[in-house]
Amino acid sequence: MILNSETKIYTDRESFPGVKRVAGKLAEDFSAVFGKKAEVKEIDGPVATGEGSVIIAATLRHSAYLDKLITNGDFDKTIIEGKWEVYSFMILPAKEGEPERLLIAGSDKRGTIYGLFHVSELMGVSPWYWFADVTPEKKSSVEITSKDCFVSKVPSVKYRGFFINDEWPAFGNWTFKHFGGFTAEMYDHVFELLLRLKGNYLWPAMWTSNFSLDGPGLENARLADEYGVVMSNSHHEPCLRHSEEWDLVKGEDTPYGTAWNFDKNREGLTNYWRGGLQRNGKFENIITMGMRGERDSEVLGATATLKDNIDYIKDVVTTQNKLIKETISVDLDSVPRMIAIYKEVEKYFHGDENAEGLKHWDGLDGITCMLCEDNFGNLRTLPEEWHRERKGGWGMYYHFDYHGDPISYEWINSTHIARTCEQMSQAYDYGIREIWIVNVGDLKPQEFPLSYFLDLAYDIDKWGQENKNAVKEYTEHFVDVNFPTFDAAQKKTTYNLLEGYTRLNYTRKPEALNPDVYDATAYDEAFAVLAKAGSLSSRLVRLWPDLKDDPLKDAFYQLVYYPVMAATNLITMQVLAGGNHYLAGIGAVKANEYADKIKKCIETDRELVREYHSINGGKWDGMMLSEHIGFTHWNDEECAYPVIMQVEPANRPRMIVTAGHGKKASQGGDWTRQKLVIDELLDPCVDTTFITVYNGSDKKLDISVNGVSEGRYVVENAAPDWLTVGLLGIGLKFDDMQPSDFRLMLTLDREKLKASGDAKNGVATTTLTIATEHTHVDVEVWAGECDDREMVPMLNKEQLSKETEPYIKDFVVTNELGLTLEASDVKKLSGSEGEYRILEDIGKYGSGFKAFPTTKYFDPEKGAPCAEYEFKISDASYEEMTEGGKVPEVKVTLLTAPNNPVVKGNPMQVGISVNDSDIKRIATVTDGYEGGERSCSQWAKGVLDQEHRVSFNVPVKAGTNTLRIYAVDPGVLIERILIRQTGTEWRYGYLGKTPEWIKKIIGD
Amino acid sequence: MILNSETKIYTDRESFPGVKRVAGKLAEDFSAVFGKKAEVKEIDGPVATGEGSVIIAATLRHSAYLDKLITNGDFDKTIIEGKWEVYSFMILPAKEGEPERLLIAGSDKRGTIYGLFHVSELMGVSPWYWFADVTPEKKSSVEITSKDCFVSKVPSVKYRGFFINDEWPAFGNWTFKHFGGFTAEMYDHVFELLLRLKGNYLWPAMWTSNFSLDGPGLENARLADEYGVVMSNSHHEPCLRHSEEWDLVKGEDTPYGTAWNFDKNREGLTNYWRGGLQRNGKFENIITMGMRGERDSEVLGATATLKDNIDYIKDVVTTQNKLIKETISVDLDSVPRMIAIYKEVEKYFHGDENAEGLKHWDGLDGITCMLCEDNFGNLRTLPEEWHRERKGGWGMYYHFDYHGDPISYEWINSTHIARTCEQMSQAYDYGIREIWIVNVGDLKPQEFPLSYFLDLAYDIDKWGQENKNAVKEYTEHFVDVNFPTFDAAQKKTTYNLLEGYTRLNYTRKPEALNPDVYDATAYDEAFAVLAKAGSLSSRLVRLWPDLKDDPLKDAFYQLVYYPVMAATNLITMQVLAGGNHYLAGIGAVKANEYADKIKKCIETDRELVREYHSINGGKWDGMMLSEHIGFTHWNDEECAYPVIMQVEPANRPRMIVTAGHGKKASQGGDWTRQKLVIDELLDPCVDTTFITVYNGSDKKLDISVNGVSEGRYVVENAAPDWLTVGLLGIGLKFDDMQPSDFRLMLTLDREKLKASGDAKNGVATTTLTIATEHTHVDVEVWAGECDDREMVPMLNKEQLSKETEPYIKDFVVTNELGLTLEASDVKKLSGSEGEYRILEDIGKYGSGFKAFPTTKYFDPEKGAPCAEYEFKISDASYEEMTEGGKVPEVKVTLLTAPNNPVVKGNPMQVGISVNDSDIKRIATVTDGYEGGERSCSQWAKGVLDQEHRVSFNVPVKAGTNTLRIYAVDPGVLIERILIRQTGTEWRYGYLGKTPEWIKKIIGD
C-alpha cells in the first residue's frame, strides 16, 4: 500500500490517550514528509473506502475494531497477547467494502506506540528529527509491502531509558531559555524522543528542578503517563519525590520535620514519602526505594556500623513497602519498584561476615536491584549465579556522562559503542534484563551512543556481542537513519568521522587530556594523534561546503561536525601544548609556531561553541556550555587551558638535534656536545627512523650531514649505502628548509646491510655527524640485519653497557625495541569449556580477546579457552641471557581493558605458560582493587588511561617461543601483549607503538 | 706654580725613552685641558726663564740635571734612592736664573712615569680618558702649591697588573675592527692605562693571539718595555712564549717537535723555551716557569703519580732556570720569575705524605709563587706562617671575570669591591706582596673594580681593610676622578648607582640568574629585588636627560648608564620570568602582563648592546658581545632566555587567592577550596602582611571581604579592630581595581589586640573570607600580641599540629617566623688575643664580622674574639619545649661569606655557646670542602649563592639568651644568624628577610 498525503490514521475511542497523541505525531510526520498532515480519525465501524490509504492503530483490549477483527478471524491475537510491548504490523487486504488497511495491533499501549513510530521510520523520519534537526526527506509517497510486515519481538530488556543529569550549565540554561524551565512543553519532546528510540523509561533532570512541580504542577508527570513513559526518580530520590523538593517542604512547623534521617525523623519522612506516593502513584512509575543521604551522599554518620546501616535500610524499605500498599496497591508485586545498589549501598547489599547483607533479605523480593557500572562504562560487581533469577530482577545504571572522580566528562560523547556493546552484552549475560538506564548528562551531545544503547536494550540479538559486526552495522545504521539522502561516499565519510572522533575521545576523554598525556617524542605518538585528528577535521572541512544547502546541514552539524571539529581541535591543542612545552624546554623556536597554533585552537573552541549556539535560529543556545578543557580536579573547578610557552631566539645561529624518538637534544657545542644514539633500527619491525634538526635562533643554519650539505630528497653519500638519509617533504632540498626545522629520515635497507658485510654479530654501527659552521652533533646509528618481525629485539651486552656511559646517558630506547603483539596477532585459539573470541575494532589498541561464556570461571588445566602467540629469541640474545647459568627470561606485559571484576575482590586472573612451562596464574588487577572506588588508584588511572597493565617475567628458549594465555576469571579483555628484554624499561608513552586504527587516515 | 697652555716639560737626554714617551702623553693632556699641547724639550743645562711654567721629569742616575741638583744640595736623593717606583714631587724655587720648576724625581723609570701621570691627575685627567672617554674638563690653568708636594710611598705590592683574558668575542672583535688585531697600536692604549692606574705589570691577551708576534712582530713587547710595563705570559705559558705560538711552530721537521710533554720531547721544548728567552729576555719580564698541559689542562696522563708530576715539574723548572742563566743572566736572582700554583699544580706544590711537595724544594727559591683565588674572588690556600717570608715571595692571581665552572662571568662587572678589599687585604696580611694580577676579561666593563684593585695594590693602607671607610671613600673617589664636573647631587646619584648595580650583580652574577633564583613568593624577595632594580633604573632615567650635552656623557654611558641599565634590566627580566612561571602555574592572567614585560626586557637588552656599540662613533663596537643571559652550563653554550608563559583567561570569572608569602593559591570553588593560613603576624617583627587576589579570567570580579565590598584605602569593619584591611595603592577603591589583581594589606595593631582581649595565650585568630558571587576562600590569620623584636617567634603545639591537617597542608611559614640577626645586630664584642670587627656594607646581607689578625688561629677558651647576640624565648614556648623532659633547643643557622679555608682541609670553625653552655666548635664548611674545585658542590653553590650555610641546635632557657660566637679558624666572615624553632624548616628563598641595603631606594 502507498502512504502519502492522503493517508488517514484511525484510532479507537477506547485507545489510550497516549496512542492518540502519538498518532498525532505520526500525522505530523506525514506533513514533514508528504507536505500535508495526515488526518487522524476515530474509528467508528468499518472503514470507508476513500481517497487515501488507511492506517489503523489498535491496542489489544482497547479496540472494538480489533476485537471485531479477532472475532472475524482476521487477526490472530495470540501473536501478541500477553506479550510486553509487542505489535503486529500487517496489511489487511480490502474486504467487505473496507479498503486495504495497515493494521498496527499492539499488545499494550507502548506496543501500539512503537508500531506507530515504526511507520515514521519507514517514512524516513529519524527519532532525532526534533532533537537534532534531522529534517526528513520530502517524498510523494512511501510504499509498504508485505515484506514490511512482521510481529515485533518482545524487547530484550523490560525498562529501557535514560537519565538527564548534571544538567547545568548546558541543558538547564537551554531549557530555561527556550521553555522557561523544566516544563512539560520541553519534556513533550523528550518523551517523544524516548519512545521513538524504543525506550520507555526516564529519570528526569533533578538539579534545581522538580519533575512533579515544574510542568507546571504535575503536568510533566501526567504527560509522561499519557505517553506511556515510565518514570523513576534517580537512585537517591525515593517514593516519587525529588531531591530538591525536600528543601522546599521541610521545616520545623511542617508535617515533614527537618532531618533527612529516618532514625531521627521517622514520622516526617513517612509523611513526605506518603505524599509522593499519593501524588504520583496513579501514574506508571518504577518507585525508587531505600534511602541515601541528601544529594548523593551517605545517610548515617561515620560511626555507624555496617549492620546499623543495613538495619536502617531494612527499616526504610519496610516502611516504604507499607506506604505503597496503603497508597497504591495491596498487591505489592504489581507495583514496579527498584533499589539502587549504588556507592555505599553496595556495601549494605553484600554485607560481611558479621552483618548479613540486604541481598539475603526477602524484603527486597519483587524490587528490582539496580546495579551500576563504575561511572565510566565498565561493569562492576554483577549478579552471582545463585542470585541471577531473583524476583524483581536486576537493573543497570550506565553512564555516557559523569560528574565525579577521577575526572568528570559532561561535554560531547566520549564513549565508543564497541565498549558499550561488550559490557552491556555481558550485563545481559548476567541476567540484568529488567531495567537499563543510561546517564546522558545534557542529552544532546549523546545522540549516537544513546541511540545505540536503547536499540541494544530493545534487541540484544541484533546489536549485541553475538553479532560480531554489530558495532560497524549499527554505525552504518545510524548514518542511514539520520542521513538517508547522503550518497554512498558521503555516508562512508560520515561513518568514518563518527567512528574516528568517538575512538579518539574514548582513548582519552577530552576533559582528562592535558599537554602531558600524549608524549611529545616517545613513539612519535604525538604526531600520530595529530595526524589522525587532522585527517578527520580536514576531511570534514572538505565535505562541509557540499552540505551548504542540504536540509540535513544542521543535523550534520550537531551529530558530526561539531563533535568532530571540537574534539579534534581540543586534541590538537593539547598535543601541540605538549610539543610546545617540550620544544620550549630544549630551546627550539618551533615552540613559537606551536604557541600560535594553540592560541588558534583555543579561539576555535570558543568559536565552535558560539556557532553551535547560533544554528537553527539559536534553537540550541546554551547546550554546549559545559567546560571541557584541562580538568585538574574531578570537576571543572580550576580547569585550565594549557599554559603556552614562548622561546626567545638565541642571538647566534643555534642548531638543536634530537635523534629518533629520544627526548635528549644536543646543540653540539664544544663543551656541551652529547652523542646521541639511535637503536631503533635494531628492531626488525622498524625500517625508518629520523633525526630532527631544530633551529634555536632565527638565523639561517648551514647544515651538513657527514660533510654533505647538498641534497634534494636524498642526501647522497652521507652514510653507508644500506642507510638512506632523506629529507622529509616532497621536493625539499637543504636550502628550502632553512632556517626552519626539518627531519632527516633514515631508511634502512636490510638486504644491502647484509650484502655490505658491515655487521658484526648482526649489528652494524654508523655515525652521522650533523654539523653547522661551529657546532656538530654525532648521532650513532645501530642497525640490525634481522628482519624477522616475530623476533624480540634486544640490546647486546656491549650496547646495554653503553647506557651507563655518561656520554650516552640519554640513550634512545625506542617504541619498537621490544615486541608489540596485538590481540589480533593470535596464532591459534582453542578450548573445550568455552572460547576466546577476538573482538575487532575495540579498545585503545584496536582489538582484544575475551572468554565466552562471559559468566564462566575456567580452570586453565581443564579445557579453558586458550590463545597462542609466538615470538622469537635470537641465538645470540639467548646465549647472553644464559651466561653464568642464568635462567633466560623475557618480560611480558599484558595491556587489558579497564574492566572490573564481576565479583568484588576477584583478581581477574589469566593463566600463562610459555612453551611447556607450568601454567601460572597472573592477576591482572592489583590486590585490593575496587572498581569505581576513587581511592583505588589502579581503577582511577585505568578509566582515564583506558587500560590496566601487568608485567611478569617468563622463561624462554632460543628460536620460536609459544606464549599461551588461558582464561581463568570472567570479564578479562586483553588488548595488547608486550615482550621485552628483562632489566630494561618501556619508555613512557600513552599509546606506545601507534595502533593501526590511528594510522588509518580517512581518504576521500 | 701655575700649569697652563704655556707650560713646558723637560726630560733629560739620558731619560728612559718610556719617560720621554709619557712626558709626551702628559703634553697631550695639556692639550686636552688647556687647549694647547705642552712643549716637551730635552733639558740642556739650566732651564731658561720663559713664558710658561716648567716641569722637569728626572730619574735618579738617568738625569744629569738631577745629578747637578743633588750635587748642589738642592735635592736630597736619599728620600728616593734605592726605593721601588718612588718619586719626589716638589717645586724648586726660582734660583740662579732658573725659574720656579716642578721637579718630578723618580727613583727609577716607573717612579718618574707615575710622577708625570700624577700631574695629569692634578689637572683632572682620568686614567680612563681614552679607555672610557672621560673627557677632561677644559681649564685655563691649574695651580700647584706646596701642599701638593710629597714623596710618594713605595707601592704596597711590587708588581701590580691585569690580565686581558677570554677576549673573545668582545675584546677580540673590537680590536680587530679598530686596530686590525692585537697590535701595538692598541696595546699603546693599554700600557698607558695601566701606568696611569699605577700598575706596572700585564698579562696580554692570549687566545688566537701572540703578543710577541702581533705588534706586528716584536713591537708589542718592545713598546711595553719602553713604557716600563713588565710582561708575563699567563700561568700556563712558560719562558716568554705564547700558548698559540706553539701551534704555529711545532712540527715533525722543526727544532721543536710536536709533543707538549717534557718527558717525550725534552729537546724540542728546550729549544722552544730557549727561543722565547732569547727573543724576549732583553725586555723587562717576569718569566713564567714550570709547565701545564696545553690550553689550561694537566700535562701528564691520568696514570701518573703525584711524585711523577712533582719530579716532572722539578725537571722542567731546573731546565728553565738553566736556560735563563744561559740566555739572560747568570745571576738568576736578578731575573724575576714566577710559577703559578694553579689548579693541579697546587697538588704538586703541597705534595702529600708520600711525595714531598714543591714547596719544600729549593729549586723554587727566588721564583715568585703565584697563588690563585677560587676564580670567583675568594682566596684559597694561603702561605703558611713558616713559608710567608720565602725568597721570591708570593703572588696572587685574582678574577673579575672568569671563563669556567660553575658558571662563567664575562660580561659587565659583578664584583663588589668590598669583597675585594676584604679578601685582598687578607692576602696582603698573609705576605702576598710580590705580584697582584687580576683577570679583567675584556677589560672594558671592569673599569671600576680594576681601578680599585690597582689602587689597593699601590696603597693598601689607604684603600685596604684597615681603613674601615675604604670602600665608600674609594667609590666617591672614583666618581670624583671620572665625573669631576658633576654637582654634588649628581655625584651622589652616580655613587648610588655604581654601588647599587655592583651589589645587585654581586648578590648573584647576571649570567647565573634564572627565573628560579629569586623566589616568586617567599619573603616577597622578588618584589624587593624588582623594586631595587627599578629604583636604580628609574633614577638613572631621570638623570640621563641632564647629561644630554655633557662632555662626560659617553663616559657616564660606559661607566654607569650601560652597566646599571643592562644589569637592572636583566635582573628585572629574570625576576619577572620567575613570577611569570609562578603565575602561569596558578592560572593568574597577570602572568601575561609579565610576559609582555619580559619581552620588552629582552628587546631592551639587545637595544642596549647596539647602543653601546654605537656611542662615540662606534669606538666600542664589539665590546659588549659577551653572552650574559641564562647560562645553563659553565660557559655560554646552550645559554637561554627565560621561557615565557602565557595563560588563557578562564571562560567565567575566576578569583585566585594567595595568602602572605605562601605559594598556595585557592580559587575558592566548592570542591577545591583550600583554607589558607597566615602565621606571619605571630612574628614580633612583622606588623603587616597581605592577601593577593588574582584574576584567572578577563571578567570583572566582584570581591567582598567578610561581606564588605566597599572601601577606599581601608575596608571598614571587615576584621576585628586590631587588624586593618587596606587596599594597596593610593586612592584605590574596590571598583578601581577590577578586573585587575590587587593586594589586601593586613596591618596588625598590637596595642589594640592587647586591649581587645581576643588573644588566648598571646595569640588571636581571625578569619577573612574573600568572596565572589560563586566562590570564596577563607584565610585564617594568626596574630601574636608579643612585640619584642628579640623574641624568637614559634608556633604552639596546636598550630604546629595544623600543619598535618590536610586543609592547611599548604600552610604559610613565612620569612619572618624565626629570628633573623644581622651581623651588625651584635650586642658586645670582646677578646684579648684578637678582635672581631664588624664590616659594614659588605656581602649579600649588608654586614659581616671577621676576626683579626686574619692570620691567627684562636682558642675560644683563651681570649679569642667573641661576638655576643641576644634572643628571647617566651615562657609559653619554653614550657612546650620542655614537655616530657625534653632539652629545650632552637636551631641556629650561620650564613657566612663563601670564603675558603686558608689551609686546605681547614674546617673554618667557630666556637658556639649559648648562655653558660660549653663552647662547641662548629665547622662552617663541609667535610672535604675544597675551594675552587668544581666537584665540590658546597663551593660551587657557594660562589653562585654568595654564601655558605651551617645549621645546628643549641640549648636555650626562657627569657633572654646570649649566643656567643668565638673565632677559631681564620678567614670566616659571618653575615647573618637565623634562629628558629627546631623541627621546622626555613622556606626556600634566595635572600630570606629582605636585607636593608636592598630596601634602600635611591631618591633624588
Side-chain angles (χ1 to χ4, degrees), chain A residues 169 584 599 602 606 625 627 633-639 641-646 648-652 654 666-667 669-673, chain B residues 169 584 599 602 606 625 627 633-639 641-646 648-652 654 666-667 669-673:
Chain A
K599 284 177 204 159
I602 292 172
R606 290 178 167 149
L625 281 176
E627 293 278 4
H633 188 67
W634 67 267
N635 68 359
D636 64 357
E637 289 183 7
E638 306 192 354
C639 69
Y641 289 95
V643 166
I644 300 173
M645 300 190 182
Q646 284 205 296
E648 181 66 23
N651 294 321
R652 296 176 205 151
R654 177 177 288 186
S666 180
Q667 300 183 3
D670 286 339
W671 295 94
T672 48
R673 180 174 300 125
Chain B
K599 284 178 203 157
I602 292 174
R606 289 178 167 148
L625 281 175
E627 294 278 4
H633 189 68
W634 66 267
N635 68 0
D636 63 358
E637 289 183 5
E638 305 191 356
C639 68
Y641 289 95
V643 165
I644 300 173
M645 300 189 181
Q646 287 205 295
E648 182 66 23
N651 294 322
R652 297 178 203 150
R654 177 176 289 187
S666 180
Q667 299 182 5
D670 286 339
W671 295 94
T672 48
R673 181 175 301 125

Side-chain angles (χ1 to χ4, degrees), chain B residues 802-816:
Chain B
K802 285 210 175 175
E803 282 198 71
T804 59
E805 284 185 30
Y807 85 102
I808 46 168
K809 241 189 186 154
D810 288 284
F811 181 85
V812 181
V813 180
T814 74
N815 54 339
E816 310 279 0

Side-chain angles (χ1 to χ4, degrees), chain B residues 346 371-383 395-399 419-432 436-437 453 850 854 897-904 908 929-932 939 943 948 970-971:
Chain B
E346 188 176 27
L371 302 173
C372 180
E373 34 71 283
D374 63 0
N375 301 313
F376 282 80
N378 311 297
L379 302 180
R380 298 174 61 260
T381 316
L382 298 177
M396 178 55 67
Y397 173 29
Y398 202 74
H399 292 78
R419 287 284 290 154
T420 309
C421 173
E422 184 249 328
Q423 289 287 291
M424 290 309 289
S425 295
Q426 181 172 327
Y428 193 81
D429 293 346
Y430 275 80
I432 301 170
W436 282 17
I437 184 143
F453 185 86
K850 187 177 175 182
T854 60
N899 292 4
N900 299 306
V902 298
V903 173
K904 193 177 156 182
M908 302 191 80
Y929 178 91
E930 197 163 353
W939 170 75
V943 296
H948 293 153

Side-chain angles (χ1 to χ4, degrees), chain B residues 84-85 87 110-111 113-115 117-118 121 127 150 152-153 155-162 191-201 436 450-451 453-459 462-463 474 477 481:
Chain B
W84 179 262
E85 295 178 353
Y87 61 93
R110 283 186 295 270
I113 288 171
Y114 293 145
F117 280 142
H118 183 60
E121 279 179 44
F150 69 109
S152 74
K153 286 160 60 171
S156 306
V157 175
K158 191 168 183 184
Y159 294 102
R160 308 165 307 281
F162 59 81
F191 299 148
E192 183 187 339
L193 172 70
L194 175 65
L195 292 168
R196 283 181 187 262
L197 289 169
K198 296 192 265 302
N200 59 7
Y201 181 55
W436 282 17
L450 172 58
S451 299
F453 185 86
L454 291 177
D455 275 325
L456 179 67
Y458 186 78
D459 189 352
K462 186 170 182 184
W463 303 120
Y474 192 82
H477 170 73
V481 165

Side-chain angles (χ1 to χ4, degrees), chain A residues 109 182-184 187-188 191 202 204 210-231 233 240 242 276 279-285:
Chain A
K109 179 164 86 174
F182 292 88
T183 59
Y187 272 116
D188 194 350
F191 300 148
L202 187 75
N210 292 287
F211 185 74
S212 300
L213 303 175
D214 296 344
L218 210 51
E219 181 56 17
N220 286 335
R222 195 210 56 74
L223 183 62
D225 192 61
E226 178 182 323
Y227 262 117
V229 170
V230 183
M231 295 303 301
N233 293 81
L240 308 177
H242 314 294
R279 180 183 65 192
N280 291 60
K282 52 185 171 286
F283 306 131
E284 194 175 2
N285 296 295

Side-chain angles (χ1 to χ4, degrees), chain A residues 342-567:
Chain A
Y342 189 56
K343 297 206 173 175
E344 79 287 353
V345 179
E346 188 175 24
K347 287 184 287 189
Y348 316 154
F349 188 70
H350 292 291
D352 66 10
E353 54 274 26
N354 303 315
E356 194 182 62
L358 292 169
K359 67 184 174 187
H360 300 290
W361 180 51
D362 60 9
L364 290 190
D365 285 356
I367 299 178
T368 304
C369 288
M370 176 72 93
L371 302 173
C372 181
E373 34 71 286
D374 63 0
N375 300 313
F376 282 79
N378 312 297
L379 303 179
R380 298 173 62 261
T381 316
L382 298 177
E384 294 160 74
E385 197 171 353
W386 66 268
H387 207 192
R388 257 167 231 159
E389 301 299 325
R390 68 180 290 283
K391 183 172 161 195
W394 298 89
M396 177 57 66
Y397 173 29
Y398 202 73
H399 291 78
F400 290 150
D401 175 293
Y402 182 60
H403 183 75
D405 279 306
I407 279 184
S408 301
Y409 54 105
E410 302 176 58
W411 182 45
I412 58 173
N413 172 36
S414 55
T415 303
H416 184 211
I417 61 169
R419 287 284 290 152
T420 309
C421 173
E422 184 248 330
Q423 289 288 292
M424 290 309 290
S425 294
Q426 181 173 325
Y428 193 82
D429 293 345
Y430 276 79
I432 302 169
R433 304 176 180 188
E434 193 72 12
I435 309 177
W436 283 16
I437 184 140
V438 62
N439 188 325
V440 290
D442 301 302
L443 173 55
K444 261 303 288 171
Q446 305 296 343
E447 297 93 344
F448 178 42
L450 172 58
S451 299
Y452 177 72
F453 185 86
L454 291 177
D455 275 324
L456 179 68
Y458 186 80
D459 189 351
I460 198 142
D461 301 324
K462 186 169 182 187
W463 302 120
Q465 194 75 71
E466 294 301 315
N467 171 8
K468 69 190 209 98
N469 295 317
V471 169
K472 191 170 176 300
E473 286 171 8
Y474 191 82
T475 309
E476 286 166 353
H477 169 73
F478 185 80
V479 174
D480 284 339
V481 166
N482 291 293
F483 306 102
T485 54
F486 278 18
D487 65 26
Q490 286 176 325
K491 283 187 179 176
K492 182 70 192 153
T493 300
T494 304
Y495 174 96
N496 284 333
L497 291 169
L498 264 182
E499 194 208 25
Y501 99 79
T502 49
R503 290 187 81 168
L504 277 176
N505 275 0
Y506 168 82
T507 300
R508 183 85 177 186
K509 298 205 178 285
E511 294 85 349
L513 262 179
N514 61 58
D516 298 331
V517 171
Y518 292 110
D519 194 85
T521 66
Y523 310 101
D524 230 16
E525 66 182 30
F527 276 87
V529 170
L530 276 184
K532 181 73 175 183
S535 95
L536 293 173
S537 58
S538 63
R539 187 65 195 86
L540 187 56
V541 166
R542 288 202 306 282
L543 175 64
W544 189 232
D546 299 346
L547 305 179
K548 194 157 59 82
D549 302 317
D550 199 305
L552 290 172
K553 187 182 181 190
D554 284 344
F556 188 82
Y557 186 89
Q558 292 161 63
L559 298 176
V560 184
Y561 187 92
Y562 179 83
V564 171
M565 283 307 255

Side-chain angles (χ1 to χ4, degrees), chain A residues 709-752:
Chain A
S709 58
E710 295 292 325
R712 180 179 278 273
Y713 307 105
V714 168
V715 185
E716 304 272 7
N717 304 318
D721 76 335
W722 43 263
L723 190 70
T724 306
V725 180
L727 303 178
L728 188 68
I730 300 296
L732 281 183
K733 56 180 180 170
F734 267 100
D735 271 355
D736 295 335
M737 296 190 295
Q738 310 296 354
S740 63
D741 317 289
F742 61 91
R743 278 188 170 182
L744 293 168
M745 299 306 299
L746 310 184
T747 309
L748 173 62
D749 184 326
R750 289 198 160 85
E751 288 313 311
K752 284 190 183 160

Side-chain angles (χ1 to χ4, degrees), chain B residues 821-955:
Chain B
L821 295 169
E822 307 292 357
S824 55
D825 291 335
V826 68
K827 291 286 175 187
K828 188 179 160 196
L829 293 171
S830 60
S832 56
E833 297 294 310
E835 57 167 339
Y836 261 143
R837 287 189 207 156
I838 302 293
L839 313 183
E840 298 290 347
D841 296 324
I842 196 168
K844 192 170 169 184
Y845 300 105
S847 64
F849 63 94
K850 187 177 175 182
F852 289 83
T854 60
T855 48
K856 192 157 179 177
Y857 292 79
F858 298 97
D859 181 341
E861 313 279 357
K862 294 180 184 155
C866 173
E868 288 184 19
Y869 291 84
E870 283 179 5
F871 62 92
K872 292 179 185 156
I873 302 294
S874 75
D875 292 345
S877 297
Y878 186 79
E879 207 168 295
E880 289 202 343
M881 289 160 85
T882 53
E883 260 179 23
K886 277 182 295 188
V887 179
E889 288 186 330
V890 294
K891 176 152 76 177
V892 174
T893 305
L894 300 183
L895 277 53
T896 60
N899 292 4
N900 299 306
V902 298
V903 173
K904 193 177 156 182
N906 178 279
M908 302 191 80
Q909 297 169 106
V910 292
I912 297 289
S913 82
V914 173
N915 305 325
D916 301 320
S917 76
D918 288 345
I919 300 169
K920 205 172 145 184
R921 291 180 184 219
I922 299 285
T924 63
V925 292
T926 47
D927 207 27
Y929 178 91
E930 197 163 353
E933 173 54 50
R934 63 181 184 167
S935 64
C936 172
S937 60
Q938 195 192 12
W939 170 75
K941 188 169 177 348
V943 296
L944 298 181
D945 288 356
Q946 296 293 18
E947 69 177 25
H948 293 153
R949 287 189 179 218
V950 60
S951 294
F952 45 89
N953 289 352
V954 297

